PDB file of all heavy atoms in Angstrom:
ATOM      1  N   ILE W 243      18.434  29.145 -57.804  1.00 94.00           N
ATOM      2  CA  ILE W 243      19.691  29.172 -58.580  1.00 94.00           C
ATOM      3  C   ILE W 243      19.768  27.916 -59.429  1.00 94.00           C
ATOM      4  O   ILE W 243      20.158  28.020 -60.649  1.00 94.00           O
ATOM      5  CB  ILE W 243      20.883  29.137 -57.609  1.00 94.00           C
ATOM      6  CG1 ILE W 243      20.834  30.495 -56.793  1.00 94.00           C
ATOM      7  CG2 ILE W 243      22.264  29.029 -58.326  1.00 94.00           C
ATOM      8  CD1 ILE W 243      22.009  30.542 -55.759  1.00 94.00           C
ATOM      9  N   THR W 247      20.067  28.940 -63.309  1.00 92.00           N
ATOM     10  CA  THR W 247      21.435  28.885 -63.924  1.00 92.00           C
ATOM     11  C   THR W 247      22.170  27.571 -63.759  1.00 92.00           C
ATOM     12  O   THR W 247      23.236  27.463 -64.358  1.00 92.00           O
ATOM     13  CB  THR W 247      22.200  30.036 -63.372  1.00 92.00           C
ATOM     14  OG1 THR W 247      22.483  29.791 -61.869  1.00 92.00           O
ATOM     15  CG2 THR W 247      21.584  31.401 -63.494  1.00 92.00           C
ATOM     16  N   HIS W 248      21.657  26.637 -62.852  1.00 90.00           N
ATOM     17  CA  HIS W 248      22.501  25.521 -62.493  1.00 90.00           C
ATOM     18  C   HIS W 248      23.825  25.924 -61.937  1.00 90.00           C
ATOM     19  O   HIS W 248      24.759  24.984 -62.018  1.00 90.00           O
ATOM     20  CB  HIS W 248      22.645  24.556 -63.689  1.00 90.00           C
ATOM     21  CG  HIS W 248      21.452  23.736 -63.935  1.00 90.00           C
ATOM     22  ND1 HIS W 248      20.241  24.203 -64.191  1.00 90.00           N
ATOM     23  CD2 HIS W 248      21.430  22.302 -64.093  1.00 90.00           C
ATOM     24  CE1 HIS W 248      19.369  23.232 -64.450  1.00 90.00           C
ATOM     25  NE2 HIS W 248      20.029  22.055 -64.333  1.00 90.00           N
ATOM     26  N   GLY W 249      23.961  27.091 -61.412  1.00 89.00           N
ATOM     27  CA  GLY W 249      25.302  27.493 -60.854  1.00 89.00           C
ATOM     28  C   GLY W 249      26.270  28.022 -61.925  1.00 89.00           C
ATOM     29  O   GLY W 249      27.444  28.314 -61.597  1.00 89.00           O
ATOM     30  N   GLN W 250      25.878  28.003 -63.125  1.00 87.00           N
ATOM     31  CA  GLN W 250      26.777  28.324 -64.345  1.00 87.00           C
ATOM     32  C   GLN W 250      26.708  29.778 -64.637  1.00 87.00           C
ATOM     33  O   GLN W 250      25.853  30.502 -64.090  1.00 87.00           O
ATOM     34  CB  GLN W 250      26.360  27.492 -65.499  1.00 87.00           C
ATOM     35  CG  GLN W 250      26.412  25.996 -65.300  1.00 87.00           C
ATOM     36  CD  GLN W 250      25.905  25.221 -66.465  1.00 87.00           C
ATOM     37  OE1 GLN W 250      25.372  25.656 -67.404  1.00 87.00           O
ATOM     38  NE2 GLN W 250      26.005  23.833 -66.420  1.00 87.00           N
ATOM     39  N   PRO W 251      27.609  30.307 -65.426  1.00 85.00           N
ATOM     40  CA  PRO W 251      28.706  29.596 -66.168  1.00 85.00           C
ATOM     41  C   PRO W 251      29.799  29.160 -65.267  1.00 85.00           C
ATOM     42  O   PRO W 251      30.137  29.964 -64.307  1.00 85.00           O
ATOM     43  CB  PRO W 251      29.192  30.536 -67.193  1.00 85.00           C
ATOM     44  CG  PRO W 251      28.804  31.858 -66.586  1.00 85.00           C
ATOM     45  CD  PRO W 251      27.520  31.724 -65.863  1.00 85.00           C
ATOM     46  N   GLY W 252      30.337  27.981 -65.315  1.00 83.00           N
ATOM     47  CA  GLY W 252      31.311  27.395 -64.362  1.00 83.00           C
ATOM     48  C   GLY W 252      30.591  27.210 -63.035  1.00 83.00           C
ATOM     49  O   GLY W 252      29.590  26.616 -62.980  1.00 83.00           O
ATOM     50  N   TYR W 253      31.193  27.832 -61.988  1.00 88.00           N
ATOM     51  CA  TYR W 253      30.609  27.921 -60.614  1.00 88.00           C
ATOM     52  C   TYR W 253      30.292  29.309 -60.289  1.00 88.00           C
ATOM     53  O   TYR W 253      30.086  29.649 -59.145  1.00 88.00           O
ATOM     54  CB  TYR W 253      31.425  27.238 -59.677  1.00 88.00           C
ATOM     55  CG  TYR W 253      31.582  25.728 -59.792  1.00 88.00           C
ATOM     56  CD1 TYR W 253      32.726  25.150 -60.209  1.00 88.00           C
ATOM     57  CD2 TYR W 253      30.520  24.855 -59.520  1.00 88.00           C
ATOM     58  CE1 TYR W 253      32.942  23.859 -60.348  1.00 88.00           C
ATOM     59  CE2 TYR W 253      30.718  23.507 -59.675  1.00 88.00           C
ATOM     60  CZ  TYR W 253      31.879  22.981 -60.093  1.00 88.00           C
ATOM     61  OH  TYR W 253      32.055  21.578 -60.201  1.00 88.00           O
ATOM     62  N   SER W 254      30.196  30.142 -61.194  1.00 90.00           N
ATOM     63  CA  SER W 254      30.183  31.677 -60.976  1.00 90.00           C
ATOM     64  C   SER W 254      28.917  32.071 -60.372  1.00 90.00           C
ATOM     65  O   SER W 254      28.868  33.227 -59.822  1.00 90.00           O
ATOM     66  CB  SER W 254      30.405  32.464 -62.414  1.00 90.00           C
ATOM     67  OG  SER W 254      29.366  32.126 -63.259  1.00 90.00           O
ATOM     68  N   THR W 255      27.838  31.284 -60.462  1.00 91.00           N
ATOM     69  CA  THR W 255      26.582  31.666 -59.695  1.00 91.00           C
ATOM     70  C   THR W 255      26.111  30.719 -58.654  1.00 91.00           C
ATOM     71  O   THR W 255      25.077  30.652 -58.112  1.00 91.00           O
ATOM     72  CB  THR W 255      25.377  31.883 -60.690  1.00 91.00           C
ATOM     73  OG1 THR W 255      25.168  30.599 -61.453  1.00 91.00           O
ATOM     74  CG2 THR W 255      25.684  32.963 -61.690  1.00 91.00           C
ATOM     75  N   ALA W 256      27.100  29.728 -58.393  1.00 92.00           N
ATOM     76  CA  ALA W 256      26.806  28.689 -57.390  1.00 92.00           C
ATOM     77  C   ALA W 256      27.061  29.037 -55.934  1.00 92.00           C
ATOM     78  O   ALA W 256      28.098  29.721 -55.674  1.00 92.00           O
ATOM     79  CB  ALA W 256      27.661  27.410 -57.793  1.00 92.00           C
ATOM     80  N   ILE W 260      24.407  24.678 -53.909  1.00 93.00           N
ATOM     81  CA  ILE W 260      24.409  24.255 -55.200  1.00 93.00           C
ATOM     82  C   ILE W 260      25.732  23.404 -55.477  1.00 93.00           C
ATOM     83  O   ILE W 260      25.795  22.391 -56.110  1.00 93.00           O
ATOM     84  CB  ILE W 260      24.383  25.382 -56.236  1.00 93.00           C
ATOM     85  CG1 ILE W 260      23.083  26.187 -56.033  1.00 93.00           C
ATOM     86  CG2 ILE W 260      24.594  24.938 -57.651  1.00 93.00           C
ATOM     87  CD1 ILE W 260      21.839  25.361 -56.379  1.00 93.00           C
TER      88      ILE W 260
END
Side-chain angles (χ1 to χ4, degrees):
I243 298 177
T247 67
H248 277 57
Q250 298 174 356
Y253 292 108
S254 61
T255 60
I260 300 295

